[in-house]
Amino acid sequence: MTRPPAAVLLVACLAVVTTVAGLAFAWSTRPGAPAATGVEPPLGELRCGAEACRTVVEQQVGPDSVALLVGPEVGRIRTSGASGPNVFELTVAASGAEITDRSLQCADAGVGVCLVRGEVESEVPGEVLGEVLVRRSGAWSRAQVPYVSSGGHLALHDVDRDAVADVVAVQRECPAGEDCPRRFVQVFSLVDGGEELGCTEVVDAPELVPGWPAVVPDAADLGPCGD
């Protein structure tokens, strides 16, 4: 069996981009909504929809703290510390992703990276949406590419060993709307704006994915996606 053409994966990602962008714009234009980034108000004054935000999980990333904050209608990502206070909209929450204490993974090297992920309801269980914050030169910014895993695993791992975490997504190779055990790994670099590093060969069961369930492919495992 061959891997799905890269164009198919690109179309899926573009659909998510359109949905996320629309939801983020709609929220940003609501009266009283805070800016996507900027000076953080005191936590007691920070609103997540109709209620004050509550912290779900927080991690230390070098000299900074990164926290996920949620409410009944919306979520936010708060950074504080040496980089200064900032608040970002939590776009995957707006797209229906479930945010839990396992939704945040950060890696700190020369470039700090935090991945926020959450499972969403879909025709086939296990679809995960993710977004990434990157700290360069002491300032946090949002990576513009949203990430999707159809195979139930989305995480950070420095696959190419360049001291910058990569995004590792497990994908199903199944007919549309159907579940099956076949899986492959798709890897994206955060160095060049979300460039695809490559994909592993398709295997016949999730447990055959390199490193499952941690999923830590080596660069030598990757080939062109869609071949």
Side-chain angles (χ1 to χ4, degrees):
M1 296 293 290
T2 59
R3 287 184 289 270
V8 172
L9 296 173
L10 179 59
V11 168
C13 284
L14 287 175
V16 174
V17 170
T18 302
T19 300
V20 168
L23 288 167
F25 176 78
W27 177 258
S28 67
T29 57
R30 291 182 59 172
T37 63
V39 176
E40 176 198 2
L43 182 58
E45 298 177 13
L46 190 60
R47 309 292 292 182
C48 290
E51 300 178 5
C53 297
R54 61 180 178 85
T55 302
V56 175
V57 61
E58 187 168 3
Q59 289 189 19
Q60 196 70 23
V61 188
D64 296 324
S65 176
V66 177
L68 302 187
L69 314 173
V70 299
E73 301 174 31
V74 71
R76 309 199 190 284
I77 310 169
R78 182 190 65 202
T79 68
S80 57
S83 64
N86 292 278
V87 176
F88 298 82
E89 296 294 337
L90 188 51
T91 58
V92 293
S95 296
E98 181 183 8
I99 304 302
T100 72
D101 59 0
R102 298 172 60 86
S103 290
L104 180 64
Q105 181 189 5
C106 296
D108 186 34
V111 175
V113 178
C114 284
L115 169 68
V116 184
R117 67 249 169 135
E119 191 167 334
V120 295
E121 292 186 6
S122 61
E123 291 182 350
V124 179
E127 182 174 306
V128 180
L129 297 183
E131 60 187 295
V132 169
L133 292 186
V134 180
R135 185 191 61 210
R136 293 186 175 91
S137 302
W140 289 95
S141 62
R142 188 197 302 277
Q144 295 304 306
V145 179
Y147 297 94
V148 182
S149 165
S150 63
H153 181 88
L154 192 63
L156 298 175
H157 176 63
D158 186 7
V159 177
D160 57 3
R161 300 180 183 177
D162 62 353
V164 180
D166 306 303
V167 178
V168 177
V170 174
Q171 311 291 5
R172 287 183 172 90
E173 191 193 59
C174 313
E178 297 183 16
D179 193 9
C180 72
R182 294 173 62 77
R183 299 288 190 274
F184 68 97
V185 182
Q186 186 179 24
V187 181
F188 299 90
S189 171
L190 293 170
V191 173
D192 297 314
E195 177 183 353
E196 190 177 66
L197 287 181
C199 293
T200 64
E201 294 294 328
V202 178
V203 294
D204 291 330
E207 55 268 24
L208 299 178
V209 170
W212 184 268
V215 188
V216 286
D218 190 86
D221 298 329
L222 303 179
C225 296
D227 285 2

